[in-house]
Amino acid sequence: MKKYIYLDNAATTKASDETKAAAELYADMLFYNPSAAYAPALEVKHKLMEAAQTIASLLGATKEEIIFTSCATESNNYAFECGIKNKKGNIVVSATEHASVYESALRLKSKGYDVRFVRPDKNGSISPEETARTVDENTAFVSIIHCSNETGAINDISAISSAVKKICPKAVIHSDGVQAFCKIPTDMTKLGVDLYSMSAHKVGGLKGVGALYVRKGFNMQPFIVGGGQQNNRRSGTENVCGIIGFANSAKAYKSKAAQFDGNKFREIFINALNGKADFTVNGNGKNSGYILSLSFRNLRGEVIAHMMEDRGVLIGLGSACSAHVRTNRVLEAMGVDRSYAEGSIRISFCPQTTEEEVNYAAKALADSVSELKEKIQG
C-alpha cells in the first residue's frame, strides 16, 4: 500500500498504541460482558468506571457526569432529544455547527419549534454579544460549538454561557466539543455548560465511541432505553474495547498536545502560498492551531485534494460528514465569496505531525495550485 502524509486529522486520527493495547486485551482475555454478575465481568465493569473517571479528569468533572455513547453524533442528538426542558421555548444554535447539531436543529424547526441561528463574524467565531442578541427570556436551549470542525475557530463558551444566563437563567447550554477536547482547555467548571459532546476517534481512539458530559444535578432522560446500562442513562452493552481505549488515548493525547504548536505549521503553509496563489485563510482569528482552512479563488477544492493525493498527501475538503455536499454552509455563513468557497480545502494536524511532513506538504500544495493556474490560463 502506498504511504501517504496524512493531514486530515480533523476527520479521524490514527489509533494510538494505548487504543490498540486496550482493544487486544478487552477483546481477548477480558472479553466479558460488564453487566454479568461473575467476578471477571465485574472487573471489566470496574475498568469502565475507571475510564469514566479518566475522561472526567480531563474535563474537571466527575465520573458520574460522563455517559459513553456510540459517537459524538449520538451525543449531539441525545442533547437535542432529551436536553430541552421547556418544549415551548425557542432554540438558539450557531450557523457554524457540525451537521449533527445543525440538522438536529432543523428537525426541531420542522416540528414547529422557533429555531434561531447565530451568525459568525468574518473569522468564523460566534461572539457572546451576537448570541445575547439572539436569545431572549423564553430561550430553552442553546448549542454553540466550542471549536469549529471546518476552520478551527475557537468560541469563548464561558463568555457565551454567561451572556445567555444573564438573559435566560433557565436556558440549557450545550456545546459540541469534538475538535476542542484534549486540544484546548475544556474545564467544565469554567465553561458553564450543561452538556458537552466528545468523540474518541479524534484523539487516537476507535471509531464508534463517544461521550456526553451531563452536569451533575441536570436531569437527563435516557435517549436509548432497554438494558439499563450506565445507571439507566444509556442502554446497550458497552463498547468495552472502545471506551477503555478512548480514555487511555485521550489522556495520552492531551499530554502530547501540551507540547504541540500547530500554529507554526499553519504559518508554514501560508508562507509557502504567499505570492503563488489568490487565496484566503478561513478562521484566521483565535484558532486551535489544529485546523487550517484555505480557499482558492476560481479553483476547485476537490481537484486540489486529488492533486495532493497524487503527490502523496491526504487532506480534506471540510467536514468528512458532509464531504459529498458541493457548497460549504459554514463558509457561506462566514461570508466567504462563492468564487473562493468552491476552492476550499481543510488541512488538519495532530501532535504526531512532523515539521518535515508539513514542509513537504506545503510545497506540494504550492506546486499543485501553480499547476492548476497554468492549466486554466494556458
Side-chain angles (χ1 to χ4, degrees):
M1 180 179 289
K2 182 177 179 180
K3 187 175 181 180
Y4 292 97
I5 291 174
Y6 181 70
L7 296 178
D8 195 20
N9 290 278
T12 195
T13 55
K14 181 180 178 180
S16 68
D17 291 341
E18 291 81 5
T19 290
K20 289 182 280 189
E24 182 176 2
L25 176 61
Y26 290 93
D28 186 12
M29 292 183 64
L30 296 175
F31 62 90
Y32 309 100
N33 188 323
S35 294
Y38 35 78
L42 294 175
E43 180 183 349
V44 173
K45 184 174 183 178
H46 178 72
K47 292 298 182 182
L48 287 178
M49 294 173 64
E50 287 185 355
Q53 181 56 56
T54 298
I55 296 296
S57 68
L58 299 173
L59 295 168
T62 64
K63 64 179 184 293
E64 292 79 17
E65 295 175 302
I66 305 301
I67 301 174
F68 289 109
T69 63
S70 66
C71 58
T73 290
E74 182 192 327
S75 297
N76 287 336
N77 275 259
Y78 187 1
F80 273 79
E81 288 294 322
C82 303
I84 299 173
K85 304 298 184 182
N86 177 8
K87 302 299 181 181
K88 296 182 180 180
N90 59 72
I91 312 298
V92 174
V93 177
S94 86
T96 61
E97 296 297 320
H98 182 271
S100 59
V101 166
Y102 191 78
E103 292 182 23
S104 290
L106 291 182
R107 182 166 59 184
L108 290 178
K109 186 175 183 179
S110 72
K111 294 179 178 179
Y113 280 82
D114 175 8
V115 178
R116 307 170 182 182
F117 293 97
V118 187
R119 307 293 294 184
D121 62 21
K122 64 179 181 179
N123 287 317
S125 296
I126 303 297
S127 73
E129 295 78 16
E130 188 64 25
T131 306
R133 283 191 284 270
T134 310
V135 303
D136 60 29
E137 64 276 8
N138 295 316
T139 297
F141 189 87
V142 177
S143 184
I144 307 293
I145 196 167
H146 195 176
C147 176
S148 171
N149 57 294
E150 295 282 353
T151 67
I154 297 173
N155 293 318
D156 189 342
I157 299 300
S158 178
I160 289 171
S161 298
S162 179
V164 170
K165 291 294 186 180
K166 286 180 180 177
I167 297 170
C168 188
K170 293 184 179 180
V172 176
I173 300 178
H174 165 257
S175 183
D176 177 342
V178 169
Q179 298 295 344
F181 181 56
C182 294
K183 300 173 184 177
I184 62 175
T186 53
D187 187 335
M188 295 300 105
T189 63
K190 296 179 180 178
L191 294 186
V193 298
D194 301 292
L195 307 167
Y196 194 82
S197 303
M198 294 154 280
S199 172
H201 75 102
K202 310 297 186 178
V203 291
L206 294 176
K207 301 168 187 66
V209 186
L212 180 67
Y213 159 84
V214 180
R215 177 182 55 77
K216 186 176 181 181
F218 185 83
N219 182 25
M220 190 78 161
Q221 295 299 310
F223 183 43
I224 298 176
V225 298
Q229 286 86 353
Q230 300 193 64
N231 294 320
N232 289 310
R233 298 180 302 171
R234 199 272 189 183
S235 290
T237 301
E238 297 92 339
N239 179 350
V240 176
C241 298
I243 290 171
I244 295 175
F246 178 21
N248 295 345
S249 66
K251 184 177 180 180
Y253 194 103
K254 186 168 185 178
S255 177
K256 294 170 184 173
Q259 311 300 322
F260 177 72
D261 182 11
N263 286 304
K264 176 177 68 175
F265 291 163
R266 284 167 50 90
E267 289 303 314
I268 289 173
F269 271 97
I270 294 169
N271 291 336
L273 292 167
N274 281 332
K276 296 184 179 181
D278 185 354
F279 71 100
T280 62
V281 179
N282 307 309
N284 209 19
K286 187 176 182 182
N287 192 284
S288 71
Y290 285 81
I291 296 176
L292 172 62
S293 173
L294 299 169
S295 293
F296 297 87
R297 186 171 179 269
N298 294 330
L299 299 181
R300 294 283 296 278
E302 58 264 39
V303 175
I304 297 172
H306 285 310
M307 293 179 74
M308 289 290 282
E309 184 175 348
D310 290 340
R311 287 176 160 88
V313 183
L314 301 180
I315 61 173
L317 297 176
S319 173
C321 294
S322 55
H324 61 284
V325 180
R326 174 79 182 272
T327 58
N328 189 303
R329 167 178 52 81
V330 172
L331 297 185
E332 287 184 356
M334 291 168 57
V336 177
D337 189 89
R338 194 179 186 89
S339 64
Y340 284 93
E342 290 188 354
S344 298
I345 60 171
R346 182 184 68 176
I347 300 163
S348 47
F349 317 109
C350 73
Q352 288 75 29
T353 304
T354 67
E355 190 165 347
E356 180 182 8
E357 290 174 329
V358 171
N359 282 325
Y360 175 88
K363 184 179 185 305
L365 181 57
D367 291 345
S368 297
V369 171
S370 296
E371 183 180 326
L372 266 179
K373 285 177 60 181
E374 288 176 7
K375 288 181 178 178
I376 295 171
Q377 294 170 357

